[in-house]
Amino acid sequence: MPIITSEAAIKYLCEGEIVAIPTETVYGLAANATDDKAIAKVYSLKNRPQFNPLIMHVDSIEMVEKWAVISKFTKTLMKEFWYGRETSISFVLELKKNHPLSLLALAGLDTVAVRRPNHPITLNILSQISFPLAAPSANRSNSLSATTVAHVLDGLGESIQVIDGGACSVGLESTILDVTQDKMKILRLGAVTKEDLEPFGEVDHGKYGEAIKAPGMMSRHYAPQRLLKMNVLKKEEGMALLGFGVCERVDLNLSMSSDLNEAAANLFRYLHELDREPFVSIGVTPIPDVGIGMAINDRLRRACSEE
Ligand code: AMP
Ligand code: MG
């Protein structure tokens, strides 16, 4: 059986492996949120054709403060909803500079969604590790979210390591609240409602059900400032060339061994690194459009079309 103890889970997570964890909302597919390679495995397992930003799971406000901006107002909300009422709400915050989080987990955004999962097993694990856990729902893309261990195993197969924390008590994804602007904005509706938030200030409800499914749908998503070209075979004047597999004259290589997981892990970091003088453009050599390669190509296409 792939059911493991919390101690084993902590060991696996520290080694960059993935573990399905119980939360009060749904089971999460958890990985070290500061480890690009571990995050690439999460996207691969979920089989998603796009990278969407993952929610960071934490056990304390102090942990979040290390890498995101928490206003006094937001802290009041966190205390009330995370600790007081123990409800399921994720906050979208501004990131601090030089944060340690995986750019892949953030899908290249400069904001981050954080949540304190209200489940004793997962809170206990979080209290024993020094990094947040990125954890999207433990199911394949376009399938129902898993709310029991049986669902997790049905959806992801018997090779997944999972902690049995019983059936999820809420069974519905968290409310996502953007607190980066003056007015609170609900990006996704969950257990916490507009009425719950209104006593604290004005609430804008974006378009329900239209929380950012892909970073390209957001105004503040990552695209390099330089012109980006895909499927480049030959380096042009002033171009930084980002390679994949065996190729010559590249400035950086996403994966010399043509490993798509490794390429995904390096993608956002390398684009950042090449988005600088003296380069005037960034060229990317062809990436196979299979598996996680589809998500890489989707991200690159969006970054190209915005120029
Ligand atoms: P889940 O499917 O519960 O793992 O939640 C992931 C969803 O959270 C993403 O698809 C986005 O809709 C939302 N999300 C995560 N990070 C951000 C962010 N920085 N800004 C806005 N929405 C976010
Ligand atoms: Mg889901």
Side-chain angles (χ1 to χ4, degrees), residues 14-235:
C14 290
E15 288 169 354
E17 293 302 325
I18 293 172
V19 176
I21 54 163
T23 82
E24 85 284 18
T25 58
V26 300
Y27 272 76
L29 205 49
N32 177 348
T34 64
D35 180 342
D36 284 319
K37 283 201 173 135
I39 299 299
K41 287 184 205 164
V42 172
Y43 284 115
S44 268
L45 252 173
K46 282 198 64 98
N47 212 10
R48 244 183 208 151
Q50 290 167 340
F51 296 126
N52 60 344
L54 307 180
I55 295 176
M56 304 293 151
H57 292 66
V58 299
D59 71 325
S60 70
I61 296 178
E62 291 69 43
M63 181 184 244
V64 181
E65 259 170 344
K66 290 186 187 149
W67 33 262
V69 181
I70 305 178
S71 67
K72 224 173 130 201
F73 174 70
T74 301
K75 199 174 263 188
T76 306
L77 291 181
M78 284 176 167
K79 284 187 180 153
E80 176 71 22
F81 290 95
W82 282 0
Y83 295 91
R85 305 190 199 183
E86 300 194 331
T87 50
S88 317
I89 184 165
S90 304
F91 296 96
V92 173
L93 309 169
E94 254 355 293
L95 278 162
K96 289 187 174 165
K97 282 218 159 48
N98 301 323
H99 63 78
L101 305 179
S102 155
L103 283 182
L104 184 63
L106 300 168
L109 301 179
D110 51 15
T111 55
V112 61
V114 293
R115 182 167 106 75
R116 183 175 189 271
N118 184 23
H119 194 292
I121 293 179
T122 294
L123 284 176
N124 173 48
I125 289 176
L126 283 165
S127 73
Q128 294 185 61
I129 56 180
S130 57
F131 46 83
L133 291 173
S137 54
N139 55 271
R140 284 200 208 274
S141 186
N142 292 325
S143 317
L144 284 180
S145 295
T147 53
T148 62
V149 165
H151 291 164
V152 175
L153 298 178
D154 273 358
L156 294 170
E158 298 274 328
S159 60
I160 186 82
Q161 314 266 24
V162 56
I163 303 177
D164 190 351
C168 301
S169 56
V170 177
L172 181 74
E173 274 91 349
S174 62
T175 295
I176 301 179
L177 187 72
D178 183 347
V179 285
T180 61
Q181 314 292 320
D182 288 345
K183 215 186 204 187
M184 294 178 272
K185 187 168 177 184
I186 297 179
L187 299 180
R188 178 174 78 188
L189 206 50
V192 177
T193 64
K194 189 168 182 252
E195 288 68 38
D196 292 329
L197 293 163
E198 264 164 356
F200 298 87
E202 226 182 313
V203 188
D204 203 0
H205 52 83
K207 291 185 186 138
Y208 289 155
E210 284 194 16
I212 294 35
K213 293 205 177 59
M217 291 161 68
M218 292 190 72
S219 50
R220 269 178 311 162
H221 54 276
Y222 177 70
Q225 279 166 0
R226 277 154 188 75
L227 185 74
L228 189 72
K229 282 192 187 172
M230 294 171 73
N231 300 315
V232 173
L233 297 174
K234 202 161 162 267
K235 188 170 168 132

